[in-house]
């Protein structure tokens, strides 16, 4: 499966660890007793009308994650066999993050939901995290809640 689908499938059934690495996913609830499971997925976010600038903000975060050696299973599932070797950061940013202008971010959030995420925790990336959160609320949320045209 793709990275988003794997993150959903890999939900571990334990409380969230506090990790904010891409593809981390946790299943909570009591699905064994008939209650629906909640699948929580973390993704980094960069809202910017300039797509290239949004991607550029995320690439160092992805590089740091790969270089750290932490959480190797998600990056292996994303097709990165050797994090020290050549890595297609453009592809990873596209699969593991929410980035770009408001409509593009909304489409990425819908992609996570379509893959089975019931909750998506967006971790803002950039120099001003508070401004990113404000922009998510002011521009992306209306895209998600607007009635279809």
């Amino acid at each position: 499966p793709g990275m988003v689908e794997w993150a959903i499938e890999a939900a571990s059934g334990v409380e969230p660890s506090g990790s904010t690495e891409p593809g981390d996913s946790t299943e909570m609830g009591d699905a064994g007793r008939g209650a629906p499971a909640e699948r929580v997925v973390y993704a980094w976010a960069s809202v910017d009308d300039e797509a290239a600038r949004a991607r550029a903000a995320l690439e160092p975060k992805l590089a740091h994650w790969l270089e750290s050696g932490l959480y190797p299973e998600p990056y292996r599932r994303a097709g990165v066999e050797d994090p020290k070797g050549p890595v297609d950061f453009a592809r990873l940013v596209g699969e593991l993050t929410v980035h770009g202008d408001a409509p593009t971010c909304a489409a990425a959030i819908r992609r996570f939901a379509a893959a089975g995420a019931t909750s998506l925790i967006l971790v803002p990336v950039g120099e001003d995290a508070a401004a990113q959160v404000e922009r998510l609320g002011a521009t992306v949320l209306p895209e998600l809640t607007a009635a279809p045209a």
Side-chain angles (χ1 to χ4, degrees):
M3 185 63 195
V4 172
E5 290 82 6
W6 175 81
I8 306 307
E9 288 175 15
S12 64
V14 298
E15 294 289 321
S17 67
S19 168
T20 57
E21 300 304 318
D24 276 4
S25 141
T26 301
E27 185 172 301
M28 300 184 313
D30 197 356
R33 293 187 218 170
E38 182 171 343
R39 292 190 174 95
V40 181
V41 177
Y42 293 84
W44 289 314
S46 178
V47 184
D48 196 312
D49 291 333
E50 296 286 332
R53 192 167 45 213
R55 281 191 304 274
L58 291 160
E59 285 186 13
K61 193 72 163 165
L62 284 165
H64 179 267
W65 167 57
L66 293 173
E67 290 166 4
S68 74
L70 297 173
Y71 309 100
E73 188 59 25
Y75 65 71
R76 284 190 199 106
R77 294 286 184 137
V80 178
E81 293 300 322
D82 180 7
K84 307 280 190 244
V87 175
D88 182 354
F89 284 105
R91 183 182 64 80
L92 289 179
V93 167
E95 290 182 16
L96 303 176
T97 71
V98 172
H99 72 282
D101 62 11
T104 304
C105 287
I109 291 168
R110 286 185 185 102
R111 187 183 79 234
F112 279 97
T118 57
S119 295
L120 179 61
I121 298 174
L122 298 176
V123 181
V125 172
E127 293 180 22
D128 191 347
Q132 284 290 305
V133 171
E134 287 177 19
R135 191 149 186 210
L136 281 161
T139 65
V140 178
L141 185 58
E143 291 280 336
L144 292 168
T145 58

